[in-house]
Amino acid sequence: MKTLSQKLAPNGPKKILALDGGGIRGALSLGYLKHVEDILRKQHNNPKLLLSDYFDMIGGTSTGSIIATLLALGWEVDDIKDMYFKLGKKIFGKKYKWWKIFEIDDAFKAKYDHAALVEQLQNILGDTKLGDQEKIRTALVIVAKRADTNSVWPLNNHPKGKFYDSGHGNNKDIPLWQCVRASAAAPTYFLPQSIEVGGENGFAAFVDGGVSMANNPALQMLMVATLKGFPYHWPMGEDNILLVSIGTGMTRWKKMPKQITKSHLLNWAANLPDMFMQDASWQNQQVLQWMSNSPTAFEIDAEVTALGDDILSDEPGRKKGLISYLRYNLFIDTKDLNERFKPSKPFTEADVESLSAMDNAENCQQLYDLGFKAGEQEVRAVHFPAGFMV
């Protein structure tokens, strides 16, 4: 297996795993990841193969950053699943009490007590830091949003990074639990996270990375891997980069025109974040489909369809993309779920509303099962070419 230094180096084919944000719906991602892990173990004839053995870069946003960090530390999917179910019930269990004097101020700022989230992350990640080259087995990218400068921060562990260990900042010394907490500081759910970033910046205030164009972090991670301003400098090419992106479930926007025209300010305020996040994810996916000849491509825009005839390439006239790209996700919608899985008890609108919530920890098992069933249908061994084997 490759060492961390070999994975960080620019030579050889590279594999990137990007995990979306979505609160407790990260359980759905784990269902997909179980199939990816199983397929790669069979492909390599190694029942103990870890996703950190296969992928050179693993990263995520919000809940995706929790799962990504554990994968990068060498956890198996089953172990993450067991931990995640317990974690979800604890961090989404204690709400602030508006009638308690000492919690009134925080109760108006966030729904849940962040102390439970901090405690659990500290228990799981201990004193491991972002720059721990012995414990972290892959390039790790944790996507957070710096609220005080309104900028996306892809915290990563490359020792040649500008902010890793220099006068600009000392990211290597940030505890992993703080990095993850920063990425998962979803506004209205948890209070922002303050981190000492060093250099001239001192302390920085972070909110959930999902409050940006990178709730789906796949495009951001590709930029980290390839742009000259970042330290990786991995070469583009269909045979050079395999980008695997996994979602946390999508909802369909079903509001009728009359409902929209009658909406008032509070309705718009409640719906705008979801609208922006969906738009950002669709845009990211469309750009990545444009850059690739993806076997998982699907129609996002009816006018340009799945972009099968519009592949960006450095070889004009050939259908060879700039990357290899896979996207796994499913719609959390009554029509889609019932037609796709044909359950004995059909999904109702109430079921879908509950499953779509980002903070209902009681849904962990059902969300995992949906991701597992969808992965059974979608994830294929041929999606992982021999040229990208370890």
Side-chain angles (χ1 to χ4, degrees):
M1 298 299 173
K2 290 190 291 185
T3 64
L4 176 59
S5 295
Q6 290 172 324
K7 291 182 177 182
L8 296 177
N11 55 299
K14 299 296 182 181
K15 291 89 67 179
I16 301 171
L17 176 62
L19 304 176
D20 284 18
I24 205 66
R25 288 182 359 214
L28 189 149
S29 303
L30 288 167
Y32 276 110
L33 285 168
K34 180 61 177 173
H35 284 287
V36 175
E37 185 182 69
D38 286 346
I39 283 173
L40 292 175
R41 285 177 170 180
K42 290 177 183 176
Q43 185 186 63
H44 290 79
N45 194 28
N46 179 1
K48 297 295 184 181
L49 183 84
L50 302 169
L51 292 182
S52 59
D53 296 327
Y54 181 80
F55 287 100
D56 299 282
M57 176 184 286
I58 300 177
T61 302
S62 191
T63 193
S65 75
I66 298 174
I67 299 170
T69 298
L70 295 178
L71 288 174
L73 288 169
W75 285 46
E76 292 186 313
V77 174
D78 281 343
D79 290 336
I80 297 177
K81 172 194 168 189
D82 293 341
M83 178 283 305
Y84 194 88
F85 286 15
K86 296 174 184 175
L87 178 69
K89 290 179 180 178
K90 289 179 179 178
I91 66 174
F92 289 117
K94 185 181 178 183
K95 297 182 179 181
Y96 286 115
K97 313 296 184 185
W98 62 266
W99 61 85
K100 290 188 177 181
I101 298 298
F102 58 89
E103 291 186 357
I104 284 179
D105 187 46
D106 286 343
F108 282 106
K109 297 176 183 175
K111 187 175 182 180
Y112 293 97
D113 185 349
H114 69 284
L117 174 60
V118 170
E119 180 183 4
Q120 295 306 313
L121 291 177
Q122 288 177 329
N123 288 341
I124 296 165
L125 300 174
D127 59 0
T128 305
K129 296 181 179 180
L130 183 62
D132 195 325
Q133 301 288 305
E134 294 183 1
K135 293 182 180 179
I136 303 175
R137 303 183 179 198
T138 68
L140 174 61
V141 180
I142 297 173
V143 181
K145 175 71 174 284
R146 185 167 172 181
D148 54 316
T149 60
N150 197 35
S151 53
V152 176
W153 272 42
L155 295 156
N156 73 94
N157 63 331
H158 198 299
K160 293 184 179 179
K162 182 176 181 180
F163 299 101
Y164 183 82
D165 184 17
S166 69
H168 299 288
N170 299 295
N171 288 356
K172 70 179 179 64
D173 293 325
I174 301 175
L176 265 186
W177 74 262
Q178 284 191 4
C179 297
V180 173
R181 166 71 177 91
S183 180
T188 75
Y189 289 97
F190 298 106
L191 293 173
Q193 172 69 33
S194 180
I195 293 180
E196 186 176 1
V197 296
E200 297 177 359
N201 297 313
F203 282 86
F206 289 89
V207 293
D208 196 294
V211 191
S212 71
M213 288 288 288
N215 188 61
N216 172 348
L219 184 58
Q220 177 67 60
M221 289 179 63
L222 179 63
M223 293 167 66
V224 170
T226 60
L227 294 182
K228 292 181 180 178
F230 292 105
Y232 296 88
H233 304 157
W234 293 352
M236 297 280 271
E238 191 172 280
D239 300 322
N240 293 328
I241 290 182
L242 171 62
L243 173 57
V244 182
S245 172
I246 300 181
T248 58
M250 306 168 282
T251 56
R252 291 195 185 274
W253 194 258
K254 295 181 178 179
K255 294 187 180 295
M256 299 296 289
K258 288 183 179 179
Q259 291 177 292
I260 292 174
T261 56
K262 292 180 180 179
S263 288
H264 49 71
L265 287 175
L266 290 177
N267 279 342
W268 280 112
N271 286 301
L272 282 174
D274 189 45
M275 292 171 70
F276 290 145
M277 287 169 66
Q278 284 202 30
D279 280 350
S281 184
W282 289 126
Q283 183 77 352
N284 284 350
Q285 291 177 65
Q286 193 154 32
V287 169
L288 291 168
Q289 286 185 187
W290 188 19
M291 298 172 68
S292 64
N293 192 21
S294 176
T296 62
F298 68 104
E299 183 178 295
I300 295 172
D301 184 328
E303 191 161 15
V304 298
T305 65
L307 299 172
D309 296 320
D310 291 287
I311 307 301
L312 280 177
S313 175
D314 53 7
E315 300 180 44
R318 295 188 60 186
K319 289 185 64 175
K320 196 166 185 178
L322 297 176
I323 60 169
S324 292
Y325 169 63
L326 302 169
R327 172 68 175 176
Y328 303 120
N329 206 4
L330 81 159
F331 277 107
I332 302 176
D333 177 83
T334 52
K335 184 175 183 292
D336 291 86
L337 294 177
N338 289 327
E339 289 183 357
R340 184 169 183 175
F341 302 122
K342 297 178 172 53
S344 56
K345 182 184 177 183
F347 287 92
T348 66
E349 290 295 341
D351 294 330
V352 165
E353 184 176 355
S354 175
L355 288 168
S356 298
M358 293 194 294
D359 60 343
N360 190 344
E362 298 301 320
N363 289 331
C364 275
Q365 186 63 57
Q366 191 172 11
L367 286 164
Y368 176 85
D369 291 342
L370 286 174
F372 186 83
K373 291 175 183 176
E376 208 166 30
Q377 297 175 352
E378 297 175 41
V379 185
R380 295 284 179 265
V382 294
H383 292 174
F384 302 87
F388 287 102
M389 288 182 68
V390 174

